[in-house]
């Protein structure tokens, strides 16, 4: 076995290294996502009685499904980062509240589809059925 690969012996850690070794790196990259989203609009054509067809720029919602790839991590990694300490947990909780708040505000003012937002953030209609 003299010619076998022995590089595994040099590894002093099990598992992969964190993409973001420090809290500051992680925080700055998360905030970069929100800065990017401030300039991320879609153009939609709407028909108006007086003006005819008009192009309107609409903001797109903050999405976890966009944030994770932006950060280069998975949802599972996001959840694991919550266990890296109180500072990470506080930041991630804050960011989750920002994302949900953005969706709710957008739905309240009619920018985003309220039914899609309700389903996305887990709100359910409470209606009684007397059958």
């Amino acid at each position: 076995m003299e010619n076998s690969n022995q590089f595994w012996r040099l590894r002093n850690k099990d598992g992969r290294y964190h993409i973001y070794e420090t809290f500051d790196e992680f925080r700055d990259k998360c905030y970069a996502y929100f800065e990017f989203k401030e300039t991320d609009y879609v153009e939609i054509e709407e028909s108006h009685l007086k003006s005819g067809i008009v192009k309107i720029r609409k903001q797109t919602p903050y999405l976890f499904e966009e944030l994770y790839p932006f950060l280069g991590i998975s949802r599972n990694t996001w959840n694991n980062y919550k266990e890296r300490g109180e500072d990470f947990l506080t930041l991630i909780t804050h960011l989750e509240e920002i994302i949900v708040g953005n969706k709710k505000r957008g739905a309240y003012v009619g920018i985003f589809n309220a039914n899609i937002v309700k389903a996305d953030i887990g709100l359910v209609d409470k209606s009684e059925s007397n059958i």
Side-chain angles (χ1 to χ4, degrees), residues 16-20 26 68 71-84 88 92 96:
R16 66 184 259 202
Y17 291 102
H18 294 292
I19 293 173
Y20 303 100
F26 182 67
Y68 303 144
L71 297 173
I73 63 174
S74 66
R75 178 183 309 176
N76 192 36
T77 302
W78 174 265
N79 290 328
N80 289 340
Y81 271 47
K82 293 178 185 179
E83 299 170 7
R84 288 188 61 189
F88 279 91
I92 289 173
E96 290 172 344

Side-chain angles (χ1 to χ4, degrees), residues 4-22:
S4 65
N5 183 342
Q6 298 294 311
F7 283 111
W8 61 272
R9 292 182 186 266
L10 299 175
R11 179 101 170 149
N12 60 2
K13 177 182 187 277
D14 290 330
R16 66 184 259 202
Y17 291 102
H18 294 292
I19 293 173
Y20 303 100
E21 290 296 331
T22 68

Side-chain angles (χ1 to χ4, degrees), residues 69-116:
F70 187 88
L71 297 173
I73 63 174
S74 66
R75 178 183 309 176
N76 192 36
T77 302
W78 174 265
N79 290 328
N80 289 340
Y81 271 47
K82 293 178 185 179
E83 299 170 7
R84 288 188 61 189
E86 188 65 31
D87 50 353
F88 279 91
L89 177 61
T90 302
L91 173 66
I92 289 173
T93 301
H94 176 66
L95 297 175
E96 290 172 344
E97 290 169 351
I98 289 173
I99 290 173
V100 170
N102 168 266
K103 291 176 183 179
K104 284 182 178 179
R105 279 189 309 280
Y108 292 151
V109 299
I111 297 173
F112 310 140
N113 183 310
N115 291 326
I116 294 173

